């Protein structure tokens, strides 16, 4: 059982307004209590720990000084928003974090007025904050009012082009806007690239002791009510401590870098910025991810995502694995293929661990490229590699591939370049909810001319699909697979390239045929067991390909059965829609075939376990069984007899 930390000051905070009465010394103690509370809460639920611990002092300072929710505090990505949630009236619900019916793991507009803008993907905060700032100046209104707009963005997120697009626009408009660059040298993976090096140079030559010495005598800079703790503010607010030339060229006044864990620096600087800022302002703070929790500080990913853990030791409570994860199967298969093919290389956008490419990087570091949080660049970079004669695998989560869709169309598909897209986290992913669901990739890829789109039904099929992609040089090819463990099928020693556009029969039956695309096949097989007890034996096929479709297989199933049901872990417009188009083009519906398509519903499904989310989506074994009975009229017959 988790020991509840002692939090006498935090117990008095029901909203940020309660913090206005605290002294600076009390705010420092509040930060310590908030850190302990965050660790205790996440130990029971799991979640994104490190980012929140790194911004505890900053969170306290921002809410103490600014007038949220009138002032709009926007957390980029919002992995770091757990302390923010505790301070903004949601402390008693933290044990529901990332659970069905509970708090989101990210900021969410429908959850609280203190979450003015929802997030879960990176690099959106400055654009949104600028929108609030312009809306304010144009007379826009919200129920809480519109005051200052403050974006808190990490150094990793600043590597994405969208952040610089927003800063360029903000500098040109000249609106009062506050951007806080939370520089912890660690996003999910260690940051890469020239921008990260630039930030390192900004503070490498000027230790904090010099800033502290320069800041003495700053009281005169502050308005009367805000002079407490002001001794550290003077030179920090003159933007000359280190430089910040890049930001100043974009039109921002630059302050920093500050020690993001030193309230004696943060409080007076933020107060003065609030009192005096006129145009866009960038405050550069240096923080340490997982600050104050040693086990997470030692973790390779900085405590990015953790399961439930013992708060005393940091030891995670993970269930024993029964089968390899799809991610590891992909990574291991790619390494083996690359051993005999020097043209195979890999690209990821700041997710080497999450996509399984850390295995590849360990074996072939010169052929593995982490381009930072920059999916658009990742796709076009991979296209360039393909045009240059390499065989690139671009490994990106389904939800993040959306961010590079124009590049997929313009730079890959139109040029028919053989980029291999390894699409992880396909389908519903659980605790991260709608923002991370891989719902749309089949639909937005299968409508592109010349694209090959596959979905693995199990981990053995995934091995074959990686091999298929490696051998395919005639245009782009994609294969999708879910998060988590496989189904436990035997794994072949090597993957064997599949014939493009050919599915496979799983079970011969009669009356109704079920055509599955992806890992719902396991649920189809469970449904068939239940149907067998009723004397119903459907035919079952694994489509393998959404593009090109196995025309012969589909038309044969349609000709030999009264009904055909497709099922997939994707939105309408995907595999089932392409099957329906084929059947319509061939005039099959003119002869009375009953056709049903089981897809994700036309809603965004909130976080829960993947199993619970698929129950909401009605894509489980019981739902498949019910669909078969319905299309055969069995359910209606039973109702008439009743």
């Amino acid at each position: 059982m988790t020991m509840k930390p002692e939090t006498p000051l935090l117990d008095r905070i029901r909203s940020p307004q309660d913090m206005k009465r605290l002294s600076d010394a009390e705010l420092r103690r509040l930060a310590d209590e908030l850190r302990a509370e965050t660790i205790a809460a996440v130990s029971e639920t799991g979640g994104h720990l490190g980012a929140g611990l790194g911004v505890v002092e900053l969170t306290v300072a921002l809410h103490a000084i600014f007038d949220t929710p009138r002032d709009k505090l926007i957390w980029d990505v919002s992995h770091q928003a757990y302390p923010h949630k505790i301070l903004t009236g949601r402390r008693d619900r933290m044990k529901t974090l990332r659970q069905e019916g509970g708090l989101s793991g990210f900021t969410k507009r429908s959850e609280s007025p203190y979450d003015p803008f929802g997030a879960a993907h990176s690099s959106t905060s400055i654009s949104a904050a600028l929108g609030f700032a312009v809306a304010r100046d144009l007379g826009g209104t919200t129920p809480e009012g519109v005051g200052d707009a403050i974006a808190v963005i990490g150094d990793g997120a600043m590597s994405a082009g969208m952040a610089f697009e927003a800063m360029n626009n903000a500098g040109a408009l000249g609106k009062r806007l506050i951007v806080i660059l939370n520089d912890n040298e660690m996003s999910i993976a260690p940051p890469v690239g020239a921008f990260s090096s630039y930030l390192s140079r900004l503070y490498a030559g000027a230790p904090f002791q010099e800033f502290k010495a320069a800041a003495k005598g700053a009281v005169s800079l502050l308005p009367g009510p805000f002079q407490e703790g002001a001794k550290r503010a003077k030179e920090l607010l003159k933007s000359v401590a280190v430089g910040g030339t890049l930001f100043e060229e974009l039109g921002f006044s630059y302050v920093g870098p500050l020690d993001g864990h030193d309230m004696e620096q943060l409080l007076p600087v933020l107060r003065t910025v609030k009192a005096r800022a006129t145009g866009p302002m960038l405050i550069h703070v240096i923080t340490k991810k997982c600050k104050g929790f040693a086990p997470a500080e030692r973790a390779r990913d900085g405590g990015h995502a953790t399961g439930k853990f013992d708060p005393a030791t940091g030891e995670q409570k993970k269930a024993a694995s029964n089968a390899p994860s799809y991610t590891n199967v992909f990574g291991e298969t790619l390494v083996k293929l690359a051993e005999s093919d020097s043209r195979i290389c890999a690209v990821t956008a700041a997710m080497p661990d999450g996509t399984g490419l850390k295995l590849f990087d360990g074996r072939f570091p010169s052929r593995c490229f982490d381009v930072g949080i920059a999916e658009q660049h990742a796709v076009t970079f991979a296209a360039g590699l393909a045009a240059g004669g390499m065989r690139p695998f671009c490994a990106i989560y389904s939800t993040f591939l959306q961010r590079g869709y124009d590049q997929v169309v313009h730079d890959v598909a139109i040029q028919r370049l053989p980029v291999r897209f390894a699409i992880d986290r396909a389908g519903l992913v659980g605790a991260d909810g709608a923002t991370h669901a891989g719902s749309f990739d089949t639909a937005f890829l299968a409508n592109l001319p010349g694209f090959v789109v596959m979905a693995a039904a199990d981990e053995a099929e995934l091995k074959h699909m990686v091999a298929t992609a490696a051998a395919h040089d005639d245009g782009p090819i994609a294969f999708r697979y879910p998060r988590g463990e496989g189904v436990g099928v035997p794994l072949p020693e090597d993957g064997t390239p599949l014939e493009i556009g050919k599915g496979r029969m799983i079970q011969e039956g009669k009356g109704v045929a079920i055509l599955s695309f992806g890992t719902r096949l396991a649920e189809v097989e469970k449904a068939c067991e239940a149907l067998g007890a009723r004397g119903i034996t459907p035919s079952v096929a694994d489509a393998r390909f959404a593009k090109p479709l196995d025309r012969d297989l589909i038309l044969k199933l349609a000709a030999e059965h009264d009904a055909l049901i497709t099922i997939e872990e994707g939105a309408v417009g995907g595999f089932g829609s392409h099957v329906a188009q084929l059947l319509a083009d061939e005039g099959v519906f003119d002869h009375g075939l009953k056709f049903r398509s089981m897809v994700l519903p036309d809603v965004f499904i909130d976080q829960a376990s993947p199993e619970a989310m698929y129950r909401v989506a009605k894509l489980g074994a019981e739902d498949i069984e019910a669909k078969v009975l319905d299309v055969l009229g069995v359910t209606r017959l039973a109702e008439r007899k009743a």
Side-chain angles (χ1 to χ4, degrees):
M1 181 177 177
T2 301
M3 294 291 292
K4 179 176 170 53
E6 295 290 330
T7 55
L9 273 175
L10 184 59
D11 294 344
R12 293 160 47 188
I13 306 302
R14 296 291 177 267
S15 78
Q17 291 303 311
D18 296 326
M19 300 167 62
K20 310 297 184 187
R21 298 187 292 270
L22 300 182
S23 68
D24 285 6
E26 287 174 319
L27 290 174
R28 289 193 291 274
R29 293 201 299 274
L30 177 63
D32 294 337
E33 294 179 14
L34 181 59
R35 177 169 281 108
E37 181 76 8
T38 301
I39 293 169
V42 181
S43 73
E44 295 192 37
T45 64
H48 298 102
L49 178 65
L53 294 184
V55 296
V56 166
E57 288 81 7
L58 182 61
T59 304
V60 170
L62 286 168
H63 278 300
I65 290 167
F66 289 92
D67 299 318
T68 57
R70 181 178 181 275
D71 290 337
K72 307 305 179 187
L73 179 55
I74 301 170
W75 299 95
D76 204 278
V77 187
S78 68
H79 286 147
Q80 72 278 58
Y82 298 176
H84 158 81
K85 294 193 178 206
I86 292 170
L87 292 177
T88 54
R90 289 169 275 183
R91 182 186 182 189
D92 61 342
R93 298 184 62 204
M94 289 301 289
K95 290 183 180 180
T96 71
L97 191 69
R98 293 160 49 90
Q99 298 174 25
E100 186 173 5
L103 294 178
S104 170
F106 305 98
T107 53
K108 190 174 184 180
R109 279 172 54 83
S110 62
E111 189 177 288
S112 170
Y114 289 94
D115 294 357
F117 201 80
H121 292 190
S122 83
S123 315
T124 61
S125 61
I126 304 175
S127 298
L130 181 59
F132 274 113
V134 172
R136 171 197 65 211
D137 293 348
L138 290 175
T141 61
T142 72
E144 302 79 30
V146 182
D148 273 321
I150 307 109
V152 183
I153 183 169
D155 54 302
M158 281 288 283
S159 69
M162 186 175 175
F164 284 93
E165 292 170 13
M167 292 188 70
N168 184 59
N169 189 204
L173 290 175
K175 301 291 185 181
R176 175 176 161 118
L177 170 72
I178 299 166
V179 175
I180 297 176
L181 172 57
N182 174 37
D183 184 356
N184 59 26
E185 296 192 278
M186 169 73 80
S187 49
I188 296 170
V192 295
F195 180 72
S196 175
S197 298
Y198 171 77
L199 293 179
S200 296
R201 290 195 302 274
L202 275 184
Y203 58 82
F208 292 133
Q209 290 81 355
E210 293 182 18
F211 303 149
K212 293 177 181 179
K216 293 179 179 178
V219 175
S220 61
L221 285 173
L222 299 174
F226 301 133
Q227 293 184 3
E228 181 182 357
K231 293 181 179 179
R232 302 178 187 262
K234 185 177 181 180
E235 292 302 320
L236 294 171
L237 291 165
K238 291 185 176 179
S239 306
V240 297
V242 176
T245 303
L246 171 64
F247 306 113
E248 291 168 348
E249 289 298 321
L250 288 170
F252 278 72
S253 297
Y254 173 86
V255 175
L258 312 179
D259 183 345
H261 302 296
D262 185 347
M263 298 287 271
E264 293 184 33
Q265 287 189 41
L266 288 176
L267 292 169
V269 168
L270 290 176
R271 284 175 180 140
T272 305
V273 168
K274 178 177 172 61
R276 295 192 172 195
T278 54
M281 172 76 68
L282 186 134
I283 305 172
H284 183 183
V285 301
I286 311 299
T287 63
K288 184 175 183 178
K289 208 167 189 179
C290 285
K291 172 73 172 178
F293 189 51
E297 288 182 19
R298 293 191 294 266
R300 184 178 185 273
D301 67 350
H304 168 65
T306 178
K308 298 177 183 180
F309 63 88
D310 182 338
T313 65
E315 183 178 350
Q316 294 192 40
K317 305 168 184 177
K318 290 187 175 180
S321 176
N322 297 315
S325 72
Y326 285 98
T327 299
N328 281 342
V329 170
F330 161 67
E332 291 169 359
T333 305
L334 189 63
V335 167
K336 192 164 187 179
L337 289 166
E339 288 173 347
S340 58
D341 187 346
S342 62
R343 292 174 294 173
I344 289 177
C345 54
V347 180
T348 181
M351 298 294 290
D353 287 4
T355 58
L357 288 186
K358 67 178 180 180
L359 301 172
F360 191 93
D361 184 51
R363 183 69 176 81
F364 302 106
S366 66
R367 287 193 263 159
C368 190
F369 305 95
D370 180 354
V371 302
I373 303 176
E375 290 83 4
Q376 293 172 298
H377 166 62
V379 172
T380 304
F381 173 55
L385 286 167
M390 298 299 288
R391 287 178 164 168
F393 280 76
C394 190
I396 300 180
Y397 290 5
S398 172
T399 186
F400 298 141
L401 186 58
Q402 295 159 188
R403 297 166 65 97
Y405 186 56
D406 180 62
Q407 288 69 32
V408 172
V409 177
H410 183 270
D411 300 332
V412 176
I414 289 176
Q415 302 188 95
R416 292 189 61 86
L417 288 169
V419 176
R420 290 92 174 150
F421 290 95
I423 305 175
D424 204 327
R425 270 55 168 186
L428 302 177
V429 298
D432 284 336
T435 59
H436 281 57
S439 305
F440 310 111
D441 57 272
T442 301
F444 70 60
L445 292 179
N447 63 7
L448 299 177
F451 234 100
V452 175
V453 181
M454 304 179 283
D458 55 47
E459 59 269 42
E461 282 291 292
L462 178 57
K463 288 199 74 165
H464 297 315
M465 289 180 180
V466 179
T468 305
H472 184 75
D473 291 317
D474 185 23
I477 187 168
F479 51 96
R480 72 192 310 260
Y481 48 97
R483 180 180 188 175
E485 297 176 0
V487 298
V489 300
L491 283 174
E493 182 67 23
D494 297 299
T496 302
L498 305 172
E499 184 179 354
I500 299 297
K502 291 298 179 182
R504 57 174 179 151
M505 287 300 300
I506 303 298
Q507 171 179 299
E508 299 282 356
K510 61 181 181 179
V512 60
I514 304 174
L515 182 59
S516 177
F517 180 66
T519 57
R520 286 296 93 187
L521 180 61
E523 295 297 306
V524 170
E525 292 175 328
K526 290 178 187 176
C528 287
E529 291 180 11
L531 290 165
R534 295 173 176 260
I536 300 170
T537 305
S539 291
V540 177
D542 174 16
R544 283 178 165 163
F545 294 85
K547 181 78 171 283
L549 291 171
D550 189 337
R551 181 178 180 277
D552 294 340
L553 173 63
I554 293 168
L555 294 179
K556 183 173 185 292
L557 292 174
E560 296 178 355
H561 297 82
D562 299 322
L564 175 62
I565 299 170
T566 65
I567 182 167
E568 63 190 292
E569 296 151 320
V572 64
F575 171 69
S577 297
H578 284 262
V579 172
Q581 185 69 42
L582 170 64
L583 296 174
D585 289 345
E586 295 294 327
V588 174
F589 294 131
D590 300 348
H591 307 292
L593 177 73
K594 297 177 180 178
F595 177 76
R596 303 289 186 272
S597 183
M598 299 182 72
V599 298
L600 293 176
D602 192 28
V603 297
F604 290 108
I605 300 175
D606 284 335
Q607 78 272 1
S609 68
E611 295 77 17
M613 295 178 81
Y614 278 114
R615 283 197 296 271
V616 172
K618 297 189 180 303
L619 289 178
E622 291 182 357
D623 305 299
I624 299 166
E625 179 187 358
K627 185 68 72 174
V628 170
L629 294 175
D630 179 69
V631 77
L632 293 177
V634 174
T635 302
R636 288 191 292 273
L637 179 62
E639 289 172 350
R640 285 198 297 271
K641 288 181 178 179

